Amino acid sequence: MRSFLGRDILSLKDFDRDELDHILEVAEELAPIARNRQNTDLLKDKILAVAFYQPSTRTRLAHEAAMLRLGGKVTGYSDAKMTRAGDFYQESIKDTIKMLECYGDVIVMRHFEQGAPHEAARWAQVPIINGGDGWGEHPTQILTDLYTVQQAKGRIDGLNWLAVGDMRMRTMHSLAYALTNYDCPITFVAPPEISLTDEFKAELAGYDLEFREVDHVEEAIAEADVILVEPVVQPDYTKSRDERDGDVGLTPANYRITRELLEAKAKSDAVLLHSLPRMDEIPTDVDDTPWAYYWQEAFNGVVMRMALLALVLGARE
Ligand code: CP
């Protein structure tokens, strides 16, 4: 297995099965630190720099919480408009990263441009973690989701996945890449105008991944062991900020996971994931059902980022 020390986390295409297994093992080892709300000194000499060019609640704060739990320190920005990258100068990613690598030992970047963290990694001497790039990928979120499923079901292999939502979403791309390492058939459900692109399907055809597309969640929910949902009513992820503009509409029934649907058709032990934020695709009355794992998933976001920081900074082999 390649060493994780100094490694970038840019795409789940870059990780093989042994490496994914190892990340999940390290997460399991470190989880009690977060569960017991302890702080340790595992990364006490390290600084995380956050560079966020798009809004975030979970990804930025989970990375920050993870670093603090491991005894490290945090610097950076959550709004690039208040930096020289976002004002008159429009400072380039190269010039910005040449600064940030002086201030931090690892950098997590979220950007509205697909490939921006990859561009950062070209210039950085420190590891770059992709916190979501345009419609590209969101690798740390899907690693969190794999860990959540592993915890809930004791395994990932052999589980049937149902993925519902906007297939342009970066999580969907990372999910598909991740599942190419497992024996996990997956069914995708999306509105036709935001379904899997022909280009992405052609790419997936090159992997050993069994996938199909259907029109309505009702066609696939009964076989699903894992149901991963994203909104279909959502902003443009290629913009730095997308304010809500009037009535954005409701989610059609084809892409909603309601309590009634779960009770009527879902396996009793299916795991329902949502990376959040949500609109109306999972109504709030699902929250207190046994299917709802998205709060656990949010907590595991800290655990997974602890594992990744410990690995790329050399606190774990
Ligand atoms: N799941 C996720 O990426 O959430 P944020 O946009 O709040 O970071």
Side-chain angles (χ1 to χ4, degrees):
M1 193 189 317
R2 280 194 297 156
S3 170
F4 281 91
L5 177 62
R7 217 162 137 180
D8 303 309
I9 312 284
L10 298 175
S11 164
L12 290 191
K13 277 196 276 196
D14 300 337
F15 294 87
D16 65 23
R17 176 60 185 268
D18 287 346
E19 292 168 333
L20 293 174
D21 286 348
H22 187 57
I23 294 170
L24 299 184
E25 280 164 19
V26 173
E28 188 61 17
E29 184 214 329
L30 298 180
I33 297 169
R35 203 175 300 128
N36 300 329
R37 296 182 177 275
Q38 298 168 320
N39 291 344
T40 66
D41 60 3
L42 217 56
L43 293 178
K44 70 178 166 52
D45 298 324
K46 302 296 184 187
I47 298 174
L48 166 69
V50 297
F52 274 58
Y53 294 75
Q54 247 185 354
S56 168
T57 299
R58 283 144 287 268
T59 307
R60 182 172 67 83
L61 294 177
H63 277 93
E64 293 190 1
M67 195 59 173
L68 296 172
R69 287 275 182 235
L70 296 180
K73 304 220 169 17
V74 178
T75 187
Y77 48 86
S78 57
D79 182 357
K81 287 215 162 23
M82 296 307 293
T83 73
R84 295 307 196 184
D87 81 341
F88 177 87
Y89 294 95
Q90 299 285 304
E91 195 165 27
S92 68
I93 286 177
K94 176 184 177 183
D95 287 11
T96 304
I97 287 299
K98 296 306 285 177
M99 301 305 103
L100 295 189
E101 69 177 3
C102 303
Y103 312 148
D105 304 298
V106 56
I107 299 165
V108 57
M109 173 181 273
R110 168 168 289 189
H111 207 289
F112 51 90
E113 276 178 19
Q114 189 168 335
H118 307 65
E119 166 72 3
R122 278 184 64 203
W123 305 109
Q125 303 290 322
V126 301
I128 301 290
I129 298 178
N130 180 358
D133 62 319
W135 294 121
E137 277 202 64
H138 197 349
T140 67
Q141 178 63 53
I142 292 302
L143 289 170
T144 298
D145 298 351
L146 294 179
Y147 177 64
T148 304
V149 171
Q150 173 79 48
Q151 267 200 319
K153 310 290 281 182
R155 66 193 168 103
I156 298 171
D157 275 316
L159 300 177
N160 270 297
W161 288 62
L162 169 61
V164 187
D166 184 343
M167 293 302 152
R168 297 172 302 172
M169 267 305 274
R170 46 203 182 198
T171 44
M172 295 298 184
H173 301 142
S174 291
L175 173 65
Y177 292 136
L179 291 188
T180 62
N181 290 281
Y182 297 90
D183 170 23
C184 289
I186 182 164
T187 303
F188 296 103
V189 187
E193 65 278 13
I194 50 176
S195 60
L196 295 173
T197 63
D198 289 340
E199 186 187 11
F200 189 58
K201 282 192 278 191
E203 187 182 352
L204 290 186
Y207 290 98
D208 188 18
L209 176 70
E210 186 185 330
F211 70 95
R212 65 175 179 147
E213 296 170 280
V214 301
D215 295 331
H216 199 300
V217 290
E218 286 187 358
E219 294 174 58
I221 196 166
E223 304 96 62
D225 300 299
V226 183
I227 307 162
L228 184 145
V229 184
E230 292 284 3
V232 299
V233 177
Q234 62 170 6
D236 181 349
Y237 274 69
T238 64
K239 291 185 180 170
S240 61
R241 191 172 174 80
D242 199 351
E243 302 282 350
R244 187 180 289 208
D245 186 14
D247 183 12
V248 293
L250 296 173
T251 303
N254 301 44
Y255 319 111
R256 294 185 86 214
I257 304 293
T258 63
R259 187 176 185 132
E260 296 72 30
L261 179 64
L262 288 163
E263 287 173 351
K265 295 207 161 178
K267 290 186 181 179
S268 61
D269 60 351
V271 171
L272 177 59
L273 301 175
H274 194 310
S275 68
L276 303 172
R278 65 177 154 185
M279 297 292 280
D280 62 332
E281 62 279 2
I282 298 182
T284 54
D285 65 355
V286 175
D287 294 357
D288 60 357
T289 71
W291 291 284
Y293 272 81
Y294 30 92
W295 308 130
Q296 188 62 35
E297 184 184 358
F299 169 77
N300 287 339
V302 178
V303 174
M304 178 48 65
R305 274 66 177 231
M306 283 169 41
L308 295 173
L309 291 169
L311 282 162
V312 303
L313 291 172
R316 283 292 176 275
E317 289 276 304

